[in-house]
Amino acid sequence: MADPASEMPPEDTGPSADVDLTLIAALAGAVDDGDAASVARILAPLHPADIADLLEQLSGEQLRTLVELAPEVLTGDVLAELDADTREVVTDELHPSQLAAAIQDLDTDDAIEVVEELDDDVRQQVLSEVSNEDRAALESGLAFDEETAGRLMQREFVAAPEFWTVGHTIDHMRAHGDDLPELFFEVYVVDTAFRPIGEVPVSHLMRAHRDVQLADIMLAPKVKVTPETDQEEVAYFFEKYHLISAPVVDEGGRLTGMLTVDDMVDVIQEENKEDLLALAGVNDAGLADTVMQSVRSRAPWLLVNLATAILASGVIALFEGAISQLVALAVLMPIVASMGGNAGTQSLAVAVRAIASRDLTSANARRVIWREVMTGTFNGLIFAVVMGIVAGVWFQNLALAGVIAIAMIINLACAGLAGIVVPLGLKRFGADPAVASSVFVTTVTDVVGFFAFLGLAALVLL
Amino acid sequence: MADPASEMPPEDTGPSADVDLTLIAALAGAVDDGDAASVARILAPLHPADIADLLEQLSGEQLRTLVELAPEVLTGDVLAELDADTREVVTDELHPSQLAAAIQDLDTDDAIEVVEELDDDVRQQVLSEVSNEDRAALESGLAFDEETAGRLMQREFVAAPEFWTVGHTIDHMRAHGDDLPELFFEVYVVDTAFRPIGEVPVSHLMRAHRDVQLADIMLAPKVKVTPETDQEEVAYFFEKYHLISAPVVDEGGRLTGMLTVDDMVDVIQEENKEDLLALAGVNDAGLADTVMQSVRSRAPWLLVNLATAILASGVIALFEGAISQLVALAVLMPIVASMGGNAGTQSLAVAVRAIASRDLTSANARRVIWREVMTGTFNGLIFAVVMGIVAGVWFQNLALAGVIAIAMIINLACAGLAGIVVPLGLKRFGADPAVASSVFVTTVTDVVGFFAFLGLAALVLL
């Protein structure tokens, strides 16, 4: 268990939202000079989260040098705070026995976070060097799938039978203080089969009289979480019911672990990051990624985009004759496609967000689809007028102005439809609506945009 | 203060991540039939968060009917759980005295959330009907800017002098249980001037012996928050230091309020939603928005997009001669622009995310800019080869294949540069990097893409 004193930041530095630039420069300088004493002196007074932030600012090479110079800086708390990419660089440099020593002070959930990304053979070596008890806890946590409650829960929690009084419970906690988790927020009330039947917030326990029974002040559990529950679902429960901690029960309904809100905040941030990156066509991204890692995470979506762009070009190629007769078509056609793409992306962002927050369901999907199509159509009308005037003035061609106006309405209406139907469709087929939606939607808006504009032009103008 | 019993969901329904479709249908049916008794019966057993979720699924008209049929359903807890759009519809229908009655059971932060969006005259009427004490608390909260800690903090917290013992503190809480906040997680230790000098997690208090002094077990405060601190900064502190609650101090350093993690989770979700929508060019969006509200929040960005699309078309117009000589140029040019737009959006998403999480700072900006440019260049090389082969085979023109290949490299390198420099530049000028970045970046990739491809073609091919 972590020493509470180690979590105190020094009075003089004071916490700040932004990383301290002079500190980064000082640390980088000390590392470049191979000055182990300065490295230790700079990091000693800092909170583990601040040390992690500083280390994340170093280059991969500086980081490796630092680990060699001052491996004792990489405590379990610091390892747990590092982002996955930086941690990978660090754990590659540390010896398995150093890793084993670092993680033994951590709660199970934090220790699992550190060891789960290790290579199999390194993880085996680390596990062989921790205590039997820790190894059993880690192995049973690792047995659950990634991104489930089982990986995030800690084995340390406080439970008491319903017939205990407040006084008895407090006395018991005083007597067994060392076995309790570092922090807890609720006492779980269990029946004789160790199934949770209620929970008492610690603040309620504190103000109740000593002779009150737990059964009389307990609240019914708000959610039922098993180790297999998806972390996104658990985070949603925490957000919705304003939970601080939640019990996890096994198949038999017996209490087996505890989830806490700080881990759920991390999950929420992780899921939001994934959605935002997925919408932009990036598989995964860390700031410490190398060029090659970045290329690997982005090239696949660029390839998909190339395929759809070639498809759209195929539509243009159908109308080569029209374009060679009237080059203005080539000048104007990207405008129709661009406006459609933008309108589609707007609908898509609204839809992805509403699906993620569980507000968009099959109950209101029809109404929202209708709203999106009407919004697209109405915006289409607005920009049909604007663009019709621009095109008419620019090319002195009324028929051309009419064609681009009608194409604009058609494409923006289709954009609104595609922007909502595509993510809903992906969700229905069990896929993540944020991933791939973007490509499908812009394919629709490119193809429809070029086809509507060039097709109408070929019909009307030539 | 809320009655704990009202927070218990019934045993039989059980919580679920998704809204129950049969419940929605039943509720909508009862509302359409004007059946007040059924409405009340359906909602009675539900948790306020679940009631809010159901109401958010109704149409505006159904919602207004429901408020008329069963205004007693809109308790303070339900109002606090509703999303802003739905709440607006509801509060427009309720009488100020009904609103005043509903909010008086809420903690200050939740009550402020309900009244802050009311029209000025309605808010005045509501405030005139609550107790003097509540009015003073609400008015002082409302005096702080929106999106600051002052708006989010509650006035209810637990403080104790450092010389108190654990036993004395617990006895005091037992004696004054009714004046304490419904939930709290730390006791703040204050000096004689009521300045917080430490905090004791309730779970530590619980396991310490009765004769231990608070001064001996308190932890140093991890952060310093004032009512003026921006909510995004506060949420970042909570996330970074895994806080559950934090004290808020006034100018004199005196303890004045408490922030809790559940409110910070809402802030984090709100900020993430804003970033995602801003990147897609949507100012604000709620699922209950009407078509006109949606048009208003999206048309401005479509107008900006139209302007930049016309700019890009102006570039194409410079090369009308080249296009009329070789129509293949018109067929291929959108591919170069589309690939650039996609690569730029990828860089942009990575940058916006890294800025939001404070990982991208001026300390590592140079390295990340270099990484993005190299990633763009490398992806440019890959897709130059692919697209060169496609164009060569398609149009049987080696020079054209070479031109599109070189244009692809130029545009993807510029896309990588623009994707990171634009948001960093906006941030330096104090603007939100998520807003407007997208438009700037795609303008760059469109203009560069068309200019590089058509310009090279005009030089080499004609």
Side-chain angles (χ1 to χ4, degrees), chain B residues 279 301 348 352 355 418-441:
Chain B
L279 271 179
W301 285 112
L348 180 58
V352 164
I355 291 173
I420 182 131
V421 167
V422 167
L424 278 176
L426 283 170
K427 194 198 162 205
R428 173 159 276 185
F429 289 111
D432 183 340
V435 176
S437 279
S438 208
V439 169
F440 283 120
V441 171

Side-chain angles (χ1 to χ4, degrees), chain A residues 1 12 53 78 90 103 134 147-148 178 200 207 274 313 317 325 348 354 370 384 434 457:
Chain A
M1 215 166 282
D12 51 338
D53 276 0
V78 172
V90 169
I103 64 166
D134 284 354
E147 310 208 334
T148 61
D178 288 346
V200 181
R207 66 177 170 226
E274 278 176 20
S313 289
Q325 280 181 264
L348 180 58
W370 176 247

Side-chain angles (χ1 to χ4, degrees), chain A residues 15 17 50 81 174 181 207-208 222 239-241 272 281 289 298 305 313 331 342 346 358 371-372, chain B residues 15 17 50 81 174 181 207-208 222 240-242 269 272 281 289 298 305 313 331 342 346 358 371-372:
Chain A
D50 290 310
E81 296 285 351
R174 286 218 182 98
R207 66 177 170 226
K222 292 202 184 64
E239 185 189 347
K240 177 169 175 179
Y241 296 112
N272 276 309
D289 285 357
R298 301 185 201 176
N305 185 64
S313 289
V331 174
N342 204 318
Q346 290 177 331
R358 325 245 174 162
R371 205 255 326 261
E372 291 300 315
Chain B
D50 290 311
E81 297 283 352
R174 285 219 183 99
R207 67 177 168 224
K222 292 202 185 63
K240 178 169 172 178
Y241 296 113
H242 310 291
Q269 289 291 47
N272 276 310
D289 286 354
R298 301 184 201 176
N305 186 64
S313 289
V331 175
N342 204 317
Q346 291 178 331
R358 324 245 175 162
R371 203 252 331 255
E372 290 301 315

